[in-house]
Amino acid sequence: MDFQKAIETIKQYLPDYANEHLTHSKGKNQFDCVFCGSGTGVNGTGAFTVYPTSYYCFVCQNHGDIFNLAEKVENIPQKEVIYYLADKYHVGIDNNSSYHLQEIQKPISADLEDDYTDFFIRANQHLSETDYYRGISLKTLNFFKIGYVQQWKHPKSNKSPATPRLIIPTSRTSYLARDTRSTADIPADQRKYTKVKVGKVHIFNIKALKNNSVIYITEGEIDALSIIDVGCPAIALGGASHVKTFLKIADENADTLSNCKFIISLDSDKAGEQAKNELVNGFKERKIKYCCYNTCNGYKDQNEALMNDRNSFQRVIEWGVANVDSLIAEQSAREQAELDKKKAEYIKKYSATSSLQSFLNGIAENANTDSVPTGFKTLDSVLDGGLYEGLYSIGAISSLGKTTFALQIADQIAEQGHQVLVFSLEMSKNELIAKSISRNTIKRIAASKGNPQYAKTTRGILTGKKYAFYNQTEKEIIQNSVLDYAKISDNIFIHEGMGDVTVDDIVRQVKEHIESVQNPPVVIVDYLQILSPRNPRATDKQNTDSAILTFKRLSRDYKIPVIVISSFNRENYAAKVSMQAFKESGAIEYSTDVLIALQLRGTGTKDFDVDQAKSKNPREIEAVILKNRNGMTGKKVNFKFYAMFNYFAEETQQDI
């Protein structure tokens, strides 16, 4: 693994290191301090506390991690402590790492590595003292200077227990020390140290690259020795994490490897599969000839296959060498077939040709599907008939009637028999219903040419104590207006939420609605800027952009109109509307299909006064079509807005 990841992995072994090298004192995770001696007193109470990846002495305030502790306890130079601990805890480190720790300016160099040649010779002389040969002949073991040490201790740790080990050199500066005891005879706390690597990572038997045309690649050294023992060349990575080390060697010996053919036979566990894929990709990039071939013959690994049935194992290995060209061709054909399949699937999924028939089917299916009229005739004319599948955004300054305008559209859509799903993030359900009933009162009065003073505001509808003071005419108007609303209420679905609704909640509820009633609705979200953020750590703009893109996908996936209400930037309150006025988002400008901005008539002209324009009754409002992906842009639709009664009237309609 890379140096950064290796460092973080090694740090997690601090509790193990402390338990092995320090003396426990009273208290959980407390030890005698190796810096000030705290804990060695008569009471035995120490202040040196070990945490998962750090330690701290509450007496001398010394603190650090496993590297600092190992330097002190075992007097290991700072430049060597990392590699010592990596060996101790079997953490592989890439040779080409550029990570620097504290004062280390470069990874340890070969010149600083210990030369174990004499040690290998002495250990080999004691090989006869063990019968732990794992089915491998003495001839092969002696050729590779495999040795044995009855009481082996890690050369960098005086406190490690003495254990019997098979010594397998991987270079003059590195080796594998393999515990020769059976698992049952190894204490539980030592079982994770049965295979200890000393020195930097080196590929076992790397010299085989120079003298052979067909070479097996295994994961473990014993597995490579098993293949070598039946007469075929093999190298061992020394672990699944050492692929990068081998590929670096391949780059350095490109000319030599051009004539080599590799048979990859790694362990079949998750790490082995990952290493195999990494190796295969590396070989492809370098145009190295290879194939993958299972040589384990049904056993866990090559050594187990050798020990259980040497003759069968030998036949499998020899067959692989004899048929390597066929195996490589089969591997290539298999990979090409996978590529062809992936290509076909990609073309089927994404090419315009593959979508053409569904496109034509869609046109046929939609032949009798009309747009959804908003109920405003002039606006519908500008929008080519009304609302279609797509994302619509309605924006305006504060208190200009954005919610009222969208709610009136919702009611007018419901009157035509279409379902509308309203997500109200600011107003309650009762407020919205009261707005609709209030609007119905003024519409009834206008239709009968009655007295406008009998029309009721939202508060006039909601405040129960006022009803005692209403005359019979007023009560009848309210009652009939409620009945008018009841005629469309089956088509209105209101979800209210106060600052706790995310865009994902809305998507989920739309999906639930469609699955429940089997009828795709028009969706209205009021309003965009008070949606609960999808990512609390992101900026307002990032969250708003994310929401807009999600609503766009929602309209596309369910083929429905989605209307999102948006506020304006404060600096645009007295300025003529533009796309830049939409608050906190560039995605509104780019992703919406239709962009409608409401503004007071005269906004942006000389001597225009926002407050004075708002005070008019009715207010004169313009709906400006800033963007219309499939229709007219720049058009204006004029309305008179009776704010008290939540009613927008197109100027072509009858005035009140």
Side-chain angles (χ1 to χ4, degrees), residues 409-430:
I409 288 176
D411 288 355
Q412 289 167 179
I413 290 173
E415 286 176 8
Q416 303 165 56
H418 296 287
Q419 292 185 349
V420 186
L421 203 53
V422 179
F423 292 91
S424 178
L425 310 182
E426 186 176 39
M427 294 185 181
S428 70
K429 183 182 296 186
N430 286 344

Side-chain angles (χ1 to χ4, degrees), residues 109-179:
S109 67
D111 295 333
L112 296 176
E113 293 183 82
D114 293 320
D115 191 327
Y116 294 109
T117 302
D118 292 339
F119 168 69
F120 297 151
I121 293 172
R122 292 195 303 273
N124 179 248
Q125 292 170 353
H126 292 274
L127 184 60
S128 60
E129 296 175 13
T130 182
D131 59 358
Y132 187 82
Y133 299 154
R134 305 288 300 176
I136 302 169
S137 67
L138 279 171
K139 179 181 178 181
T140 298
L141 294 173
N142 284 320
F143 180 83
F144 286 96
K145 294 295 183 288
I146 310 300
Y148 175 72
V149 176
Q150 175 64 38
Q151 296 291 315
W152 178 84
K153 296 186 70 174
H154 198 292
K156 303 294 184 180
S157 173
N158 294 326
K159 295 188 178 182
S160 62
T163 54
R165 299 276 174 160
L166 195 70
I167 306 300
I168 304 175
T170 54
S171 73
R172 64 180 179 82
T173 60
S174 62
Y175 64 92
L176 169 68
R178 181 171 178 139
D179 201 315

Side-chain angles (χ1 to χ4, degrees), residues 469-538:
F469 302 98
Y470 293 157
N471 60 37
Q472 187 60 33
T473 301
E474 290 173 301
K475 290 179 181 179
E476 288 179 359
I477 289 173
I478 294 173
Q479 184 179 5
N480 289 327
S481 295
V482 171
L483 292 175
D484 290 339
Y485 186 77
K487 293 175 183 177
I488 68 169
S489 58
D490 277 350
N491 291 326
I492 301 282
F493 299 82
I494 301 174
H495 293 265
E496 59 183 1
M498 302 302 289
D500 58 352
V501 179
T502 68
V503 64
D504 298 313
D505 293 328
I506 292 175
V507 171
R508 184 169 55 254
Q509 288 171 341
V510 171
K511 181 180 179 182
E512 181 183 352
H513 178 94
I514 293 173
E515 290 175 349
S516 300
V517 302
Q518 299 295 306
N519 193 344
V522 174
V523 175
I524 297 176
V525 180
D526 181 26
Y527 62 93
L528 180 66
Q529 281 74 24
I530 57 174
L531 273 172
S532 186
R534 172 182 266 172
N535 179 4
R537 297 182 179 178

Side-chain angles (χ1 to χ4, degrees), residues 48-83:
F48 186 91
T49 304
V50 172
Y51 303 100
T53 59
S54 64
Y55 64 81
Y56 184 80
C57 179
F58 290 88
V59 174
C60 66
Q61 283 82 50
N62 202 294
H63 60 280
D65 54 25
I66 189 173
F67 304 107
N68 306 115
L69 189 59
E71 288 177 40
K72 173 66 177 178
V73 172
E74 302 185 71
N75 195 27
I76 302 172
Q78 187 188 51
K79 291 185 177 181
E80 298 180 15
V81 67
I82 301 169
Y83 292 97

